Amino acid sequence: MLKTTVKVSALNNLSDARYCAGMGVDLLGFSMDELDFEKFKEMRGWLAGVQVVGETDSTDVSKIIELTENYQPDYLQVSAWENLAEIQRIGLPIILKVDFATANLPALFQTTKGMVEYFLLENSDEFGVIDDATLSQIDAWSFQYPILLGFGAKESNVNDLLEQTQLKGFALKGNEEIRPGFGDFDELMNILEVLETDD
């Protein structure tokens, strides 16, 4: 069991997906834009008791509908907030990916808050860190909106971030396999171990 909601995105191999499911990760994300459908189907057949998130960066609503019909995820993750009202009609809980560095987040949160299950807060600024100012901003937003934090979370600070904010949880990323069964998975594993509860 983990002490907060965790989503792991961009999973592309069964060993990582099964490890995450075994650790109690709630939401397993797969890129519908990149992951071969047959591979996805095979992986999904091995997973039970977890929610599968179909991820797409497409802004084309008809393409998003087609992907969703093929992959049949439990949740849908999009970044196309302008088309959210149409995407909502698909009928799945929505995770909206938003960018801390570039989006007008106060307006975006306000406009879309009733349409999404979670906001996934990422940061396209590769030098973006969680300093005191950023932390206080995230805390203010997380008090009002359901936010999964998708940047700046490390083994050394995840518990502090949970204690100092009202975050709903974290969004972490899977890794490419170096060869079947072997990937550079250490950072993700370490964060999940820190978030484990003793229950």
Side-chain angles (χ1 to χ4, degrees):
M1 277 260 311
L2 301 176
K3 60 178 79 161
T4 189
T5 298
V6 173
K7 172 183 181 286
V8 178
S9 67
L11 285 163
N12 58 18
N13 63 82
L14 184 58
S15 49
D16 286 4
R18 290 179 78 176
Y19 172 79
C20 290
M23 285 294 286
V25 170
D26 307 88
L27 300 163
L28 297 187
F30 301 88
S31 170
M32 299 187 293
D33 301 332
E34 292 171 18
L35 185 64
D36 174 71
F37 177 68
E38 289 306 317
K39 188 173 181 186
F40 168 79
K41 209 162 67 170
E42 182 191 346
M43 285 162 64
R44 186 161 192 176
W46 282 95
L47 299 171
V50 290
Q51 300 288 299
V52 168
V53 183
E55 302 166 345
T56 179
D57 285 318
S58 176
T59 54
D60 177 346
V61 176
S62 57
K63 172 84 172 155
I64 294 171
I65 291 169
E66 184 189 333
L67 284 169
T68 308
E69 284 173 352
N70 284 342
Y71 283 77
Q72 297 279 312
D74 304 306
Y75 278 71
L76 177 59
Q77 178 181 304
V78 295
S79 45
W81 62 271
E82 303 90 340
N83 303 323
L84 216 47
E86 287 177 82
I87 293 168
Q88 239 192 326
R89 293 191 197 126
I90 295 171
L92 289 176
I94 294 171
I95 297 172
L96 180 63
K97 188 169 73 169
V98 296
D99 186 1
F100 183 81
T102 60
N104 176 356
L105 289 175
L108 199 155
F109 287 146
Q110 192 59 39
T111 314
T112 58
K113 65 180 178 186
M115 303 186 202
V116 304
E117 193 82 8
Y118 296 110
F119 292 101
L120 195 172
L121 188 58
E122 291 202 339
N123 192 346
S124 60
D125 176 359
E126 58 185 297
F127 302 109
V129 292
I130 299 197
D131 53 21
D132 289 346
T134 305
L135 183 64
S136 122
Q137 186 65 82
I138 289 170
D139 181 36
W141 288 334
S142 68
F143 194 73
Q144 293 178 276
Y145 309 108
I147 291 176
L148 299 176
L149 184 62
F151 73 97
K154 300 191 285 286
E155 178 189 358
S156 56
N157 71 356
V158 282
N159 281 324
D160 291 342
L161 287 168
L162 277 183
E163 283 165 20
Q164 294 168 21
T165 66
Q166 302 288 314
L167 286 168
K168 292 289 184 227
F170 298 102
L172 310 172
K173 281 192 172 66
N175 294 286
E176 288 290 335
E177 274 187 309
I178 299 159
R179 60 186 192 277
F182 292 89
D184 179 15
F185 211 53
D186 293 352
E187 189 182 1
L188 179 59
M189 285 168 67
N190 292 344
I191 293 175
L192 292 178
E193 280 166 19
V194 169
L195 289 172
E196 259 193 302
T197 63
D198 300 325
D199 303 347

